[in-house]
């Protein structure tokens, strides 16, 4: 019999920790920091490349804004206002430092600062995104569940055909058609304007959200429909049927919930 090989304190610590066979697993905080650092680096280089492409592209923003017949004094004054009277390296440094100070410049057309435009328009965009997401989920999930569980002959083919047509239609055409039908013919949706207060803004948001749903609902419902079909072939679904699970629990825990993971991915 051979005597056991003595282990050092360091080897014992590695074995007890369980990290001796491979790299140490990262915690959630480390993953977030690592990915945040990568995102910052990528954003910086995207900013550098975009700045270089704008400077290398032909044309002059001052000439485009004032026209070719503008006086040289006016052109020089606008170039100084926009910071274009210095070398490109200084321009990039001013642009880079201005980002950390909240200075995103001003619009060449209206002269309004970009930060003010964001402050005015960003809430509208966020409301539109939220309304679109809610409407898409409310339409897509029941639709996919019904098509997958109804077992009606020919219904899946009609579903695939209609969703393919929805994907093929241009969004601007759908917007014009719906605006004409709901805004002019039926007069149940405003053609223009916006009220920032809730819930009055829903009157102006539901129709643009419906236009977005024409593209998003076919995508989400088709993916969820395929995922539900795969889930129905699993053994745990048959087990739920044999056990006589209640309808809500069966459809949520045995069918829909396992099918949502591939859909989200």
């Amino acid at each position: 019999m051979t005597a056991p090989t003595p282990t050092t304190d360091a080897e014992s610590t590695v074995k007890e920790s369980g990290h001796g066979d491979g790299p140490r697993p990262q915690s959630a905080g480390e993953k977030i920091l690592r990915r945040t650092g990568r995102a910052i680096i990528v954003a910086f280089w995207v900013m550098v490349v975009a700045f270089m492409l704008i400077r290398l592209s032909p044309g002059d923003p001052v000439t485009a804004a004032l026209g070719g017949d503008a006086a040289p004094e006016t052109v020089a004054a606008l170039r100084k206002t926009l910071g274009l009277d210095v070398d490109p390296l200084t321009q990039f440094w001013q642009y880079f430092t201005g980002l950390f100070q909240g200075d995103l410049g001003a619009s060449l057309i209206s002269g309004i600062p970009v930060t003010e435009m964001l402050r005015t328009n960003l809430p509208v965009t966020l409301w539109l995104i939220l309304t679109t997401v809610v409407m898409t989920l409310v339409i897509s999930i029941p639709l996919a569940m019904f098509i997958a569980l109804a077992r009606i002959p020919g219904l899946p083919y009609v579903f695939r055909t209609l969703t393919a047509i929805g994907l093929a239609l241009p969004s601007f055409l759908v917007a014009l058609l719906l605006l004409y039908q709901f805004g002019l013919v039926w007069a149940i949706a405003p053609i223009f304007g916006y009220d920032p207060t809730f819930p009055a803004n829903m009157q102006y948001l539901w129709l643009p959200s419906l236009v977005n749903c024409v593209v998003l609902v076919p995508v989400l419902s088709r993916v969820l429909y395929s995922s539900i079909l795969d889930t129905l072939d699993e053994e745990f679904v048959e087990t739920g049927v044999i056990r006589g699970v209640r309808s809500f629990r069966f459809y949520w825990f045995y069918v829909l919930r396992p099918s949502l993971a591939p859909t989200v991915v």
Side-chain angles (χ1 to χ4, degrees):
M1 298 180 60
T2 59
T5 305
T7 58
T8 61
D9 294 340
E11 293 175 347
S12 301
T13 304
V14 170
K15 291 182 180 180
E16 292 176 1
S17 61
H19 300 151
D21 297 332
R24 181 179 62 86
Q26 297 179 353
S27 62
E30 291 176 341
K31 291 181 179 179
I32 293 175
L33 290 176
R34 184 181 295 274
R35 293 183 180 181
T36 302
R38 291 177 180 175
I40 293 175
I41 295 174
V42 171
F44 173 78
W45 285 110
V46 168
M47 181 176 58
V48 172
V49 172
F51 184 87
M52 292 175 60
L53 291 177
I54 292 176
R55 293 302 179 272
L56 294 176
S57 60
D60 184 9
V62 176
T63 305
L66 298 177
D69 299 333
E73 296 81 6
T74 306
V75 174
L78 184 57
R79 291 184 66 87
K80 184 176 182 180
T81 302
L82 298 178
L84 299 177
D85 58 335
V86 294
D87 59 279
L89 185 60
T90 305
Q91 293 178 26
F92 177 78
W93 177 251
Q94 293 175 351
Y95 169 69
F96 182 72
T97 55
L99 291 177
F100 294 95
Q101 300 173 2
D103 183 11
L104 302 178
S107 171
L108 290 175
I109 299 176
S110 62
I112 301 176
V114 176
T115 52
E116 185 177 343
M117 297 174 64
L118 289 176
R119 192 179 302 111
T120 303
N121 299 323
L122 185 59
V124 184
T125 304
L126 295 178
W127 271 111
L128 180 60
I129 293 174
L130 178 62
T131 310
T132 300
V133 170
V134 172
M135 291 183 64
T136 302
L137 294 177
V138 169
I139 298 174
S140 300
I141 294 178
L143 178 62
M145 289 281 292
F146 174 76
I147 299 298
L149 300 176
R151 304 294 185 179
I152 300 177
L155 186 60
Y157 299 100
V158 176
F159 169 70
R160 293 190 181 97
T161 301
L162 294 178
T163 52
I165 294 174
L167 290 172
L169 289 174
S171 298
F172 71 89
L173 178 61
V174 175
L176 291 176
L177 294 176
L178 294 184
L179 187 62
Y180 173 78
Q181 187 66 37
F182 289 98
L184 294 178
V185 178
W186 292 342
I188 59 176
I191 299 178
F192 61 90
Y194 183 71
D195 188 347
T197 59
F198 179 82
N201 57 351
M202 293 293 105
Q203 179 184 1
Y204 300 89
L205 290 174
W206 71 269
L207 186 56
S209 300
L210 183 61
V211 174
N212 294 332
C213 287
V214 173
V215 177
L216 296 178
V217 167
V219 175
L220 183 60
S221 60
R222 292 184 73 162
V223 174
L224 183 58
Y225 166 73
S226 301
S227 181
I228 291 175
L229 292 182
D230 294 337
T231 303
L232 292 176
D233 294 332
E234 298 292 338
E235 295 182 357
F236 63 84
V237 176
E238 298 180 1
T239 303
V241 174
I242 295 174
R243 293 176 56 187
V245 181
R246 290 180 300 177
S247 298
F248 175 79
R249 181 178 178 84
F250 174 77
Y251 288 129
W252 170 248
F253 287 98
Y254 286 80
V255 178
L256 183 58
R257 190 173 178 180
S259 304
L260 287 176
T263 304
V264 173
V265 174

